[in-house]
Amino acid sequence: MSKETFDYIIVGAGSAGCVLADRLTQSGEHTVLLLEMGGSDKSLFIQMPTALSYPMNTDKYAWQFHTDKEPGVNGRKMHCPRGKVLGGSSSINGMVYVRGHAEDFNEWEKAGATGWNYQTCLPYFKKAETWIQGGNDYRGGSGPLSTNNGNNMTLNPLYETFIKAGEAAGYGRTEDYNAYRQEGFGAMHMTVKKGVRASTSNAYLRRAMKRSNLTLRTGVLTHKVLFDGKKAIGVEYSKNGMVQKNLAAKEVILSAGSVGSPQLLQLSGVGPKNVLKDADVPLIHDLPGVGENLQDHLEVYFQYYCKQPVSLNGKLDLVSKGMIGTRWVLFKDGLGATNHFESCAFIRSRAGLKAPNIQYHFLPAAMRYDGQAAVKGHGFQVHVGPNKPESRGRLWIESNNPKASPRILFNYITTEQDKQDWRDCIRLTREIIEQSPFDDYRGEEIQPGKSITTDDEIDQWVKDNVESAYHPSCTCKIGADSDPMAVLDAECNVRGVSNLRVVDSSIFPTITNGNLNAPTIMVAEKAADMILGKPALASNNVDVWIHPHWETQQR
């Protein structure tokens, strides 16, 4: 058994782990070991943006987790893939760049995450990013992560039509939903650089791997954190069936994601004592919040036939796919260089909400996310769902075998407000698509279908058709000293033990209004300064648009 010692051991080379590996090795002062179960991310299917559905549904690149039977969605077992490759879920996601609303981070601070309000988080969003239009008060101009607004919506007339329909319905336009104003309709941003996926592996890890003080080990299954009393001193893992141990002189950092990090804490003896007892894991520290507070986003595909032959449904034959792929290989542009979500919207479902709670990804095609079940002829759809669920789930191990998948239960749509949010969502979406800008394109409503109108009919259709947006989060939340369910303090330290942190989307107290990759990268940037003992970047003091009549008006 190797007992090699490093200053820091990071478990998980994903959206957060790659950022940490880069920042902790940057000065050359510290030795870092980065452990990852997956392998190379150099596959064309990962690097080509349009191929985004392939890695997510491949055992080689993703942990194919499934939930228990979910009572709120007709007892369905829902798919919950997580990245298992360099770059983690940033190498298998849809490349959508959404930071979240400013109020999401103010909500974190109110929930006990002191120092994590919007104005303190914004400098780290900026530090991470190079925005294609250059830096400003809200956007970064020199960070590792390339962000852009796709192909400027010129590839398809339906993108601008969707935005105009939103304006016709009485919603505003936003020039940059990641800046002053999230609420409204506008162009969607993506993590793509020169036509290639901008994962954290490409953006951060590639440059870190050139440094001699970073050791990367792939094909590694981490078993547990090693403790001396309540002090984390290293990790045990296996590679090619051989068990190894490495020691950490300073800290062990779990960046294994919202499934992997709580699972590892529990396997290591840190978690709810009853769960650990049932799984035959010796208790190191009773921490009841580990694996609790689980949150996710759900979405449906709201689909219409398109009266004009302009949708991507005309590009799904093998010849068209071959031409798109060939052009991308040669020039890194065209339809292969986009995720096809080029326009979007964020709206509030009801008066009394200060910030949006519904998100739209517009797609000029009618098909499943994995590219299957495309409609015959032409069509378009919006991926839509409420983003601020009340429902909370949990994740727990039943065995001390690190190869065994944890049990997962989200408790989707199990509160009355969550059900009402979905009814509002369906009705508001139908109203938007029925606006006059779509008149030249809008054909028959494919799904839900015009007959789905009553509360009961909407409830049943949503239960039958809703899918995960693949945003599990919040299972190791930051919280106040007075919160018995808080897993971490505001510096991401695991409570009750020493030299152990968690840095990934599991630390969120509440889920953000948007996709999770951007805030996860921000969290890692901010945590890196904490780990290194650097002073936090100076808070910003920027204005944020809130609807002037949010208390009484829905739009």
Side-chain angles (χ1 to χ4, degrees):
M1 285 189 187
S2 167
K3 286 284 186 83
E4 197 177 354
T5 299
F6 298 84
D7 290 325
Y8 298 101
I9 299 177
I10 303 166
V11 180
S15 296
C18 289
V19 176
L20 292 176
D22 177 45
R23 295 305 187 189
L24 299 186
T25 57
Q26 206 163 21
S27 70
E29 298 172 57
H30 311 293
T31 55
V32 174
L33 173 64
L34 178 62
L35 302 175
E36 168 59 43
M37 180 62 182
S40 171
D41 60 331
K42 291 188 176 176
S43 164
L44 177 145
F45 292 114
I46 289 176
Q47 300 301 330
M48 185 196 301
T50 195
L52 57 92
S53 68
Y54 291 99
M56 184 178 294
N57 292 285
T58 303
D59 289 344
K60 181 178 179 180
Y61 299 125
W63 301 93
Q64 301 295 337
F65 296 119
H66 287 82
T67 70
D68 281 12
K69 292 181 178 179
E70 292 283 354
V73 292
N74 291 343
R76 293 161 59 202
K77 292 185 175 182
M78 305 289 275
H79 188 208
C80 183
R82 298 283 81 209
K84 186 177 64 175
V85 61
L86 294 179
S89 292
S90 77
S91 289
I92 68 167
N93 69 1
M95 291 156 284
V96 173
Y97 183 79
V98 183
R99 293 174 173 181
H101 194 280
E103 284 301 302
D104 292 329
F105 305 100
N106 297 336
E107 182 178 75
W108 286 10
E109 187 155 75
K110 288 172 190 165
T114 305
W116 290 85
N117 63 59
Y118 175 66
Q119 304 292 353
T120 55
C121 289
L122 179 56
Y124 289 99
F125 279 116
K126 292 174 67 176
K127 180 181 181 181
E129 173 192 42
T130 293
W131 170 231
I132 196 168
Q133 296 177 12
N136 56 40
D137 287 349
Y138 301 87
R139 305 302 297 259
S142 58
L145 184 74
S146 293
T147 55
N148 64 54
N149 54 351
N151 291 278
N152 299 316
M153 302 185 294
T154 56
L155 289 178
N156 196 292
L158 291 169
Y159 291 127
E160 183 64 27
T161 300
F162 176 67
I163 295 171
K164 288 179 177 175
E167 292 180 291
Y171 302 97
R173 183 187 280 251
T174 172
E175 296 306 316
D176 184 347
Y177 63 81
N178 282 311
Y180 168 63
R181 173 174 176 163
Q182 187 192 59
E183 188 167 339
F185 284 65
M188 184 161 255
H189 307 159
M190 61 183 79
T191 48
V192 173
K193 181 179 183 179
K194 296 179 180 177
V196 177
R197 175 190 289 272
S199 64
T200 57
S201 175
N202 284 340
Y204 288 89
L205 186 60
R206 290 275 183 273
R207 66 185 195 181
M209 285 169 65
K210 296 174 183 175
R211 302 179 190 133
S212 61
N213 56 329
L214 175 66
T215 301
L216 169 66
R217 292 192 182 142
T218 57
V220 164
L221 179 66
T222 302
H223 296 182
K224 61 184 177 181
V225 178
L226 301 172
F227 285 92
D228 179 4
K230 292 199 174 187
K231 177 183 177 182
I233 60 168
V235 295
E236 177 187 289
Y237 61 92
S238 57
K239 182 176 173 73
N240 299 325
M242 298 287 290
V243 175
Q244 300 184 50
K245 295 180 181 180
N246 286 124
L247 302 180
K250 294 180 182 290
E251 293 186 18
V252 175
I253 305 159
L254 302 184
S255 296
S258 291
V259 174
S261 287
Q263 178 188 16
L264 265 173
L265 282 176
Q266 292 178 10
L267 286 168
S268 306
V270 179
K273 61 183 178 182
N274 291 338
V275 168
L276 304 189
K277 182 180 178 183
D278 291 345
D280 198 24
V281 174
L283 180 69
I284 298 291
H285 182 67
D286 178 21
L287 201 55
V290 175
E292 300 291 326
N293 194 45
L294 177 60
Q295 297 165 49
D296 190 18
H297 291 147
L298 291 170
E299 63 182 13
V300 295
Y301 308 146
F302 211 116
Q303 295 180 332
Y304 288 80
Y305 285 109
C306 186
K307 293 191 290 189
Q308 295 191 38
V310 295
S311 76
L312 293 175
N313 287 70
K315 303 288 186 183
L316 297 177
D317 60 283
L318 287 176
V319 173
S320 295
K321 285 182 176 180
M323 291 174 66
I324 291 167
T326 300
R327 178 171 174 176
W328 182 84
V329 168
L330 294 175
F331 306 110
K332 301 296 187 289
D333 65 4
L335 290 173
T338 173
N339 59 13
H340 305 292
F341 296 121
E342 303 261 359
S343 59
C344 66
F346 301 86
I347 68 172
R348 293 172 297 119
S349 67
R350 61 187 186 275
L353 294 176
K354 199 171 182 180
N357 67 324
I358 290 178
Q359 177 182 3
Y360 292 90
H361 300 65
F362 180 80
L363 186 69
M367 67 180 77
R368 284 179 47 83
Y369 188 83
D370 60 10
Q372 304 301 308
V375 303
K376 292 181 180 177
H378 285 270
F380 60 85
Q381 69 192 33
V382 286
H383 297 210
V384 62
N387 270 0
K388 301 295 285 185
E390 286 184 346
S391 302
R392 299 289 183 265
R394 59 187 288 255
L395 176 158
W396 68 103
I397 60 171
E398 287 192 314
S399 160
N400 59 19
N401 180 1
K403 293 181 180 177
S405 294
R407 296 271 297 279
I408 302 170
L409 184 69
F410 285 97
N411 284 320
Y412 292 123
I413 323 181
T414 49
T415 74
E416 284 306 310
Q417 186 61 60
D418 284 355
K419 293 173 188 175
Q420 186 59 48
D421 285 349
W422 269 106
R423 295 167 194 150
D424 294 339
C425 176
I426 297 300
R427 292 180 173 124
L428 291 168
T429 302
R430 187 173 277 150
E431 179 194 17
I432 290 164
I433 305 298
E434 287 177 353
Q435 298 297 313
S436 59
F438 269 114
D439 287 351
D440 290 340
Y441 300 103
R442 182 184 57 251
E444 183 183 345
E445 183 180 312
I446 301 170
Q447 64 174 35
K450 284 284 191 180
S451 63
I452 308 295
T453 57
T454 68
D455 284 0
D456 287 346
E457 288 166 345
I458 291 172
D459 289 351
Q460 190 58 50
W461 185 81
V462 168
K463 286 179 182 180
D464 289 342
N465 290 277
V466 77
E467 295 187 8
S468 173
Y470 310 124
H471 299 160
S473 50
C474 311
T475 46
C476 299
K477 73 171 184 176
I478 296 177
D481 293 345
S482 57
D483 182 353
M485 299 305 285
V487 176
L488 309 176
D489 66 16
E491 301 258 301
C492 303
N493 295 298
V494 178
R495 292 181 176 277
V497 298
S498 61
N499 293 23
L500 180 62
R501 294 191 212 231
V502 179
V503 180
D504 53 34
S505 62
S506 69
I507 80 161
F508 300 3
T510 50
I511 196 166
T512 53
N513 183 46
N515 309 64
L516 300 193
N517 192 233
T520 302
I521 292 169
M522 177 277 293
V523 160
E525 286 279 19
K526 191 165 162 62
D529 277 358
M530 294 173 174
I531 293 164
L532 293 171
K534 291 184 176 182
L537 296 178
S539 293
N540 287 88
N541 187 23
V542 299
D543 292 331
V544 174
W545 191 86
I546 303 290
H547 192 291
H549 306 296
W550 64 269
E551 292 168 296
T552 56
Q553 291 178 208
Q554 182 261 331
R555 67 190 88 170

